[in-house]
Each structure stands twice: as structure tokens, then as C-alpha cells.
């Protein structure tokens, strides 16, 4: 009986890293947005936080696009 | 479509019926977390999932021919064998739906194929090692992999987002959940609708209506896609409730982490050569997310019932399929008996389900917020009492049929064959 432990291991590794990375990025994006909100309430602007937020969300969107590519291809 | 015999027509219709049950069984995989956290209204969620399933069905035909390859010997497979396999799979799907337990439709189908093949060609036709590598190990690995990823993801997002504002959080996680749920739906459409296409194509080849090695005809792709989308839209509310509310109480952060983990595991597994079941991955992810939140709990009694159902899926479907195959072996009237038995027991299961209706109005129990938003207009009998009581009462009450389900099914099957 041949059990492909290497494939299972790589599924585990890739899933773990990708999930944590994506969730982490997304959370950072949300933090950025909430900083911007607070800044807006006090009349200021938070350029760095806003830029970070959009960069994070863009990275997540790229990951989703890659996911759709994997499904379609 | 040339030389379309009656048995072939029956097989095609039964396969589409299986596809339909597959759709409503697996809506929970994509949408349970989104519905229970309130990210989407229940009806909107299942509609979106249905559309994405339909789209997914048309994206490729790669999976379509692989369902039975390797597991059973295809040479000499008869349409009756496929019919018997589908009967086993459909009945198991309906029973697990009745008791609200998520279980793998693919395992049910594989179990059906194995049982029917053994009954017609003997034990030698089944490859035992393939059974272990393709069924048993994935069933253990999937919830573990998805669970660990979801748990760490949940911890991370709670830690990072401690000081995030309420508004950004609720808006953000809502969008994130909807996106990852959409990916799961799309992946499901490409996988599961194609399994049915593969089965129908296999039957058409076996029945001589198609040349061997043909691609699925367009009408097969279209009808399989529509059947799974319709099933998805009607929504397996019972299973959604178990997955979204029964296993653990999910907050948006957890729903997002769970669904992202599930989507990642499903995509990673199907592209790194170690296929894992969608149902097992999502269930594992939901439990992992439950464990990842401080003070979060997993209801292990519900989880245990689910694990038992997973263990029973293959043998139960195999047993029913083997009996069905044995009865069809008596000739045309045997096939008719099995068909009548399938329709009658499906109707019986549906009638039993009407005793305690679970639909989009009460899928989230009687959680105060959800209640005022969705369920207030039509409070259902099941929705009496606070949510914890409701879950504690209804789910154990359903566990009786859960454990009694298999004997009942097989007893039903044997009594029908005994009556023959």
C-alpha cells in the first residue's frame, strides 16, 4: 500500500501557511481601516494606515484571483 | 442519445436525483458560517452558492471521468450496478440530512459503488489499498489539517484585531467571509457536479449509448449543473444549522478564519495530489475556529455524532447498494422494486422531516439578534426557548434516529427484499 505522505504533508504545510498569511493580512487591513476611521473622526487623515490597508486587501484579492485560477485551470 | 434503454433512463434520472441531494447536503459547506454569523441573509447566501455551483459545473470536465477510476474495476460494470450504487448514496444523504449531520457525499457515492460492485462481481473487484489511501486517511486528515489552520488563523485575527473599531471589523469580516464562501461554492461546483457527470457518462458508456472514453455530452453537463444548483438553492437547512450553530458558536472573525482555512485546504488538496473531502475540511475548520477563540467551545457531543456518521457513511451506503444490486439481479421487476423502494423511502424521510421543519426562517435558532432580523415574523415551534436550550434539546432528540438510522435503513432494505 502506497500512502503519499509527502503530498499530505505539503497539503498541510501549504494550507497552514496560506491560511495564516491570508487571515493575518486581512486582519492588518481591517486594523488599517479602523485607524483611518478614528483619524477621520478627529479630523485628521492616516495616509500610512490607509495605504497599508489597501495593500493588504489587494494582496488578499490577488490570492482569491489565484484561487479562481486554480479552480478554472 | 441513440439506443436509450429504460434502465439507462432510470440511471440518468437517479444520478440527477443524487446530484440534487448532493447540492442540498453540501450547501452547508459553503454557506453555514456565512449564514450563522449573519454575514448574509440565508436566502441570499444559498442563491449565491447555487449560482456559483452552476458556474463551476461548466468550468471544466476534468474531474468528470475520474470518480470511479481506481476504486472499482470498471470493465464489465452494468447500468444496474450504477443504479444500485446511487440508491445507496441517495438514501444515506437523505438520512444524514434528516438528522442534520454533515457527511461526505463523495464517500456515500464511493460506498454505493463499492457495495454494488461487490454484490455483482465479488470482493475481488474492490481495491482495498485504494480504499485506505483515498477514503480513510483523507477522512482523518481533512478535519485535522483544516482545523489546525483555522484555529491558528482565529487566534491570530483576534490578537491582531483587539483594538480595531467595531465598524471596520463588522464590514471587513463580512466581505471576507462572503469571498471565501464563494470560492468554496465554486470549487464545489467544479468537483461535485462533475462527479455526477462522470457517473452518467459511465452509465451511458456501460449501457452502450456512448463510445468508451467519450467526454460528457452537453446535455449531461447542463442537467447535472442545474440539478446541483437547484439542490443548493433549496438549501439543506438542517445541516447548515448543525454546522453553523450546532458545533460551536461562531463570531464573524471565526467564520472568516474557518471559511478561509476550508477554501485553502480544498484548493491545496485538489492541486497537490491528495484529495480531501469538502465536508470534512469545513467541519474541521469550524471546530478549529471554535477552539481558537478565548472562551469558545466545541460541542463534542454533536461532533462525535458527526464523526460516527462519517465512519458509517461508506459501509452504510455500501450495504444498501449491495442489497439493491442483489434485488436488481432478479431482472426488470427487481429493478422496479428498488426504484419504488427508493421513491417510497425518500418520501417517508421527507414526511418525517416535516414534523420539525428547519428552513431559512429558523436556521439560526432563536438567537436574539437573528430572531428580530429574520425569524420574528414566523416563530416556528422549534424556535421556542433560548438558543442553548433549543440546541441542547433538539439535537440530542435527533441523535436517536442518527444511531438508529442505519439499522432502520438496512432493515427497510432487507424487508423490501424479503417481501420480494
Amino acid at each position: 500500500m502506497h500512502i503519499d505522505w509527502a503530498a499530505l504533508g505539503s497539503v498541510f504545510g501549504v494550507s497552514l501557511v496560506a491560511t495564516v498569511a491570508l487571515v493575518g493580512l486581512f486582519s492588518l487591513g481591517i486594523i488599517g481601516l479602523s485607524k483611518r476611521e478614528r483619524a477621520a473622526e478627529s479630523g485628521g487623515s492616516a495616509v500610512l494606515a490607509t495605504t497599508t490597508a489597501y495593500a493588504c486587501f489587494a494582496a488578499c484579492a490577488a490570492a482569491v484571483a489565484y484561487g479562481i485560477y486554480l479552480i478554472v485551470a | 442519445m441513440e439506443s436509450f434503454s429504460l434502465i439507462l433512463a432510470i440511471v440518468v434520472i437517479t444520478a440527477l436525483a443524487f446530484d440534487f441531494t448532493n447540492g442540498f447536503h453540501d450547501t452547508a459547506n459553503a454557506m453555514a458560517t456565512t449564514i450563522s454569523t449573519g454575514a448574509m441573509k440565508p436566502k441570499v447566501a444559498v442563491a449565491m452558492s447555487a449560482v456559483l455551483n452552476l458556474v463551476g459545473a461548466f468550468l471544466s470536465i476534468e474531474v468528470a471521468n475520474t470518480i470511479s477510476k481506481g476504486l472499482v474495476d470498471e470493465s464489465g460494470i452494468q447500468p444496474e450496478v450504477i443504479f444500485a450504487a446511487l440508491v445507496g448514496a441517495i438514501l444515506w444523504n437523505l438520512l444524514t440530512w434528516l438528522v442534520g449531520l454533515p457527511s461526505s457525499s463523495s464517500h456515500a457515492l464511493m460506498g454505493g459503488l463499492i457495495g454494488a460492485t461487490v454484490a455483482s462481481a465479488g470482493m475481488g473487484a474492490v481495491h482495498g489499498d485504494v480504499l485506505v489511501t483515498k477514503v480513510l486517511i483523507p477522512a482523518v486528515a481533512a478535519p485535522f489539517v483544516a482545523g489546525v489552520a483555522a484555529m491558528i488563523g482565529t487566534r491570530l485575527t483576534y490578537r491582531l484585531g483587539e483594538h480595531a473599531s467595531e465598524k471596520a471589523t463588522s464590514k471587513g469580516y463580512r466581505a471576507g467571509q462572503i469571498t471565501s464562501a464563494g470560492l468554496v461554492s465554486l470549487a464545489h461546483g467544479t468537483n461535485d457536479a462533475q462527479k455526477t457527470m462522470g457517473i452518467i457518462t459511465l452509465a451511458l458508456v456501460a449501457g452502450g449509448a456512448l463510445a468508451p472514453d467519450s467526454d460528457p455530452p452537453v446535455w449531461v453537463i447542463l442537467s447535472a449543473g442545474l440539478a446541483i444548483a437547484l439542490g443548493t438553492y433549496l438549501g439543506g437547512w438542517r445541516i447548515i444549522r448543525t454546522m453553523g450553530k450546532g458545533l460551536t458558536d461562531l463570531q464573524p472573525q471565526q467564520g472568516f478564519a474557518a471559511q478561509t482555512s476550508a477554501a485553502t485546504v480544498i484548493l491545496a488538496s485538489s492541486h497537490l495530489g491528495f484529495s480531501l473531502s469538502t465536508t470534512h475540511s469545513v467541519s474541521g475548520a469550524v471546530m478549529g475556529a471554535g477552539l481558537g477563540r478565548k472562551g469558545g467551545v466545541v460541542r463534542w457531543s454533536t461532533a462525535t455524532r458527526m464523526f460516527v456518521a462519517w465512519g458509517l457513511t461508506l459501509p452504510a451506503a455500501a450495504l444498501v447498494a449491495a442489497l439493491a444490486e442483489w434485488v436488481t439481479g432478479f431482472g426488470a421487476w427487481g429493478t422496479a422494486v428498488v426504484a419504488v423502494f427508493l421513491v417510497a423511502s425518500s418520501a417517508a424521510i421527507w414526511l418525517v422531516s416535516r414534523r420539525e421543519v428547519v428552513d431559512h426562517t429558523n436556521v439560526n435558532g432563536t438567537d436574539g439578534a437573528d430572531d428580530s432580523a429574520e425569524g420574528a415574523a414566523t416563530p416556528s415551534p422549534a424556535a421556542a426557548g433560548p438558543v442553548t436550550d433549543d440546541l441542547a434539546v433538539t439535537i440530542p432528540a435527533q441523535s436517536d434516529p442518527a444511531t438508529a438510522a442505519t439499522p432502520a435503513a438496512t432493515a427497510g432494505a432487507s424487508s423490501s427484499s424479503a417481501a420480494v
Side-chain angles (χ1 to χ4, degrees):
Chain A
M1 187 184 318
H2 173 71
I3 297 169
D4 198 347
W5 293 111
L8 181 57
S10 63
V11 169
F12 185 60
V14 168
S15 304
L16 194 63
V17 170
T19 305
V20 171
L22 272 175
V23 171
L25 273 173
F26 196 81
S27 309
L28 288 177
I30 287 176
I31 295 169
L33 280 190
S34 72
K35 276 201 179 129
R36 187 182 66 165
E37 266 171 31
R38 289 206 187 100
E41 276 161 21
S42 57
S45 69
V47 179
L48 181 64
T50 311
T51 317
T52 317
Y54 284 126
C56 289
F57 288 135
C60 291
V64 171
Y66 182 63
I68 294 175
Y69 164 77
L70 282 182
I71 294 173
V72 175
Chain B
M1 286 244 248
E2 60 279 1
S3 72
F4 218 94
S5 63
L6 181 62
I7 176 67
L8 222 44
I10 294 176
V11 170
V12 170
I13 292 168
T14 320
L16 291 175
F18 168 76
D19 206 21
F20 176 82
T21 64
N22 188 347
F24 77 64
H25 217 273
D26 292 359
T27 322
N29 293 336
M31 289 305 169
T33 59
T34 333
I35 291 172
S36 73
T37 58
M40 284 178 106
K41 286 237 157 69
K43 280 267 187 188
V44 181
V46 292
M48 181 183 115
S49 184
V51 169
L52 288 172
N53 263 291
L54 187 60
V55 171
F58 287 93
L59 284 180
S60 82
I61 49 166
E62 204 179 317
V63 187
N65 288 317
T66 61
I67 172 70
S68 65
K69 275 182 187 144
L71 203 60
V72 292
D73 247 327
E74 283 166 304
S75 54
I77 204 164
Q78 295 292 311
E80 286 85 356
V81 175
I82 299 172
F83 173 61
L86 289 166
V87 169
I90 290 175
L91 285 180
W92 181 254
N93 267 356
L94 287 176
L95 276 171
T96 44
W97 164 75
L98 180 64
V99 296
L101 290 175
S103 70
S104 167
S105 300
S106 322
H107 279 193
L109 187 54
M110 281 188 229
L113 276 173
I114 292 171
T117 309
V118 167
S120 82
M123 283 307 281
V126 176
H127 306 149
D129 52 340
V130 181
L131 191 67
V132 174
T133 54
K134 274 197 175 173
V135 178
L136 293 182
I137 292 180
V140 178
F144 180 75
V145 172
V148 170
M151 186 173 76
I152 297 175
T154 306
R155 289 226 170 116
L156 181 71
T157 194
Y158 271 108
R159 177 158 306 177
L160 287 176
E162 258 171 346
H163 305 294
S165 76
E166 188 79 17
K167 202 174 125 207
T169 312
S170 68
K171 213 168 66 179
Y173 286 113
R174 187 161 171 256
Q177 279 192 84
I178 294 172
T179 310
S180 47
L183 271 185
V184 173
S185 294
L186 197 63
H188 185 258
T190 48
N191 273 308
D192 284 43
Q194 288 194 39
K195 280 175 196 150
T196 306
M197 291 175 210
I199 288 286
I200 297 178
T201 311
L202 189 65
L204 292 174
V205 171
L210 266 186
D213 293 326
S214 303
D215 281 344
V218 174
W219 66 268
V220 172
I221 299 176
L222 188 67
S223 53
L226 285 174
I228 204 165
L230 187 65
T232 306
Y233 179 67
L234 289 176
W237 301 110
R238 292 165 178 273
I239 300 172
I240 292 176
R241 188 169 70 172
T242 304
M243 222 179 221
K245 287 270 167 188
L247 284 173
T248 182
D249 293 312
L250 288 176
Q251 295 182 347
Q253 287 90 330
Q254 294 170 289
F256 169 67
Q259 208 64 44
T260 304
S261 154
T264 314
V265 169
I266 291 161
L267 289 180
S269 73
S270 60
H271 289 272
L272 294 174
F274 204 99
S275 192
L276 299 177
S277 155
T278 309
T279 309
H280 299 164
S281 307
V282 177
S283 314
V286 167
M287 286 187 279
L291 291 174
R293 174 166 65 95
K294 257 183 211 153
V297 283
V298 170
R299 295 190 188 84
W300 290 109
S301 58
T302 306
T304 308
R305 269 198 299 282
M306 188 179 72
F307 293 139
V308 170
W310 291 359
L312 287 176
T313 298
L314 202 133
L319 199 58
V320 177
L323 286 167
E325 166 59 20
W326 181 64
V327 177
T328 58
F330 289 104
W333 60 270
T335 309
V337 166
V338 174
V340 169
F341 171 69
L342 175 66
V343 172
S345 39
S346 304
I349 289 171
W350 187 77
L351 281 177
V352 173
S353 81
R354 301 307 292 174
R355 280 199 216 146
E356 195 224 324
V357 181
V358 178
D359 61 12
H360 62 98
T361 57
N362 62 352
V363 64
N364 280 343
T366 51
D367 205 297
D370 296 327
D371 205 26
S372 58
E374 288 140 10
T378 48
S380 74
V387 65
T388 44
D389 280 10
D390 181 40
L391 285 166
V393 172
T394 53
I395 291 173
Q398 289 169 351
S399 77
D400 272 351
T403 44
T406 328
T410 48
S414 49
S415 71
S416 89
S417 49
V420 168

